Amino acid sequence: LAEAESRGDALPRGKGSSGSTSQNLIDYVNARGPSIAVLENVEEMAKDEEDSLNVKWLHGQLRAKGYSASAKLHWANEFALPQARLRAWTVVIKLSDFGINEQEADAFFDGVWAVVEKTKVDAVKLEPYLLPDDS
């Protein structure tokens, strides 16, 4: 397993939910073959492949299936989500469904991230919407 991990052929051991979530995305891709998918995960998943075995594994699996992926870090509450956590957001596209290559996919991702930046909102204060404490 250690040799497979170093080659990127297996999920690294002891990586917790990011490895599990990555495997679930691959299972979904295998079952459904979506043209586009979006994955929300821990900060690690926005690292470069050379800095994370989980990212190296995930991107290698996706490339083998004809996909390209791009990830960025964003605060969830900047999109009016009820949590103030920095999360990795990964966009995955199936190259053949769009008739594009890796360079064209990079341009597509640049456009996606530009739109994402424009949709940010001021962080929402959740206290007015929470139920009263009954304790």
Side-chain angles (χ1 to χ4, degrees):
L1 182 59
E3 183 180 328
E5 286 176 5
S6 68
R7 288 192 317 262
D9 296 337
L11 284 172
R13 294 173 287 199
K15 292 295 182 186
S17 62
S18 59
S20 299
T21 303
S22 296
Q23 182 60 61
N24 289 341
L25 176 63
I26 295 303
D27 292 346
Y28 176 78
V29 165
N30 287 336
R32 305 295 240 160
S35 297
I36 298 177
V38 177
L39 173 67
E40 175 267 341
N41 208 328
V42 298
E43 293 177 45
E44 173 196 4
M45 299 310 288
K47 291 182 176 181
D48 291 331
E49 288 184 37
E50 56 272 4
D51 297 326
S52 167
L53 291 176
N54 276 330
V55 174
K56 181 179 179 180
W57 181 87
L58 176 62
H59 288 196
Q61 293 291 309
L62 290 168
R63 274 192 301 274
K65 295 169 186 346
Y67 287 84
S68 185
S70 177
K72 298 283 184 190
L73 288 174
H74 291 284
W75 288 94
N77 61 346
E78 291 179 328
F79 302 95
L81 296 173
Q83 54 180 290
R85 296 194 302 172
L86 189 60
R87 306 298 286 169
W89 297 87
T90 302
V91 177
V92 177
I93 61 171
K94 191 172 188 178
L95 299 174
S96 63
D97 284 0
F98 295 95
I100 61 175
N101 60 35
E102 284 286 342
Q103 291 80 15
E104 292 165 319
D106 289 342
F108 170 83
F109 292 131
D110 289 344
V112 167
W113 298 125
V115 170
V116 167
E117 285 296 321
K118 290 179 182 180
T119 63
K120 286 184 177 180
V121 298
D122 291 334
V124 176
K125 300 244 184 250
L126 298 176
E127 290 79 11
Y129 305 103
L130 299 176
L131 296 173
D133 186 3
D134 290 337
S135 51

